[in-house]
Amino acid sequence: LSDPSCLFCKIIAHQIPCHQIYEDDTLLAFLDIGPLVPGHTLVIPKSHYPNMMLIPPDLLAEINRRLPQLISAVLAATGAAAAHVLANNGPDAQQSVLHLHYHILPRKPADSFHIPWLPGTLDRAAAPQLAARIAQNIPK
């Protein structure tokens, strides 16, 4: 599966160069050209799937099986002790390239990147109904 208009499919096809970190039959990992922090790495499936909800579970499992080694390599190379591993799913979640991709963001105490994590409060009266609606939508 490939989308000729997709930026990441063009990178996979070597039509656009990248700073490659790792490649196998399943995935490609490379440095982000607009890094949030040094070492910001993208991990993408070589088949075109717009987001995590549309990729076959077995292919997602293959990618996830490789993530620990890729994260460890990024941390070792950057000297960071921690990382965010993010996958934005859909434009409303800030996904700018509609080809599933993970961001590996190595984190250091003094870096300038911050996620504005502003937790709210769970509505305990509405929570049981919300949990039930979510559970009902999980395929058996």
Side-chain angles (χ1 to χ4, degrees), residues 81-125:
H84 286 290
V85 180
L86 307 172
N88 302 330
N89 288 278
D92 291 343
Q94 297 181 320
Q95 183 182 9
S96 59
V97 177
L98 297 180
H99 183 122
L100 173 61
H101 57 286
Y102 288 90
H103 296 263
I104 300 173
L105 301 165
R107 301 308 309 269
K108 294 181 179 178
D111 66 31
S112 62
F113 174 68
H114 298 284
I115 295 175
W117 199 284
L118 306 171
T121 302
L122 180 64
D123 180 341
R124 295 193 187 277

Side-chain angles (χ1 to χ4, degrees), residues 31-53:
L31 293 177
D32 192 310
I33 62 167
L36 298 174
V37 293
H40 182 169
T41 298
L42 298 177
V43 178
I44 64 173
K46 292 180 96 173
S47 298
H48 181 84
Y49 294 97
N51 59 48
M52 199 173 289
M53 289 80 70

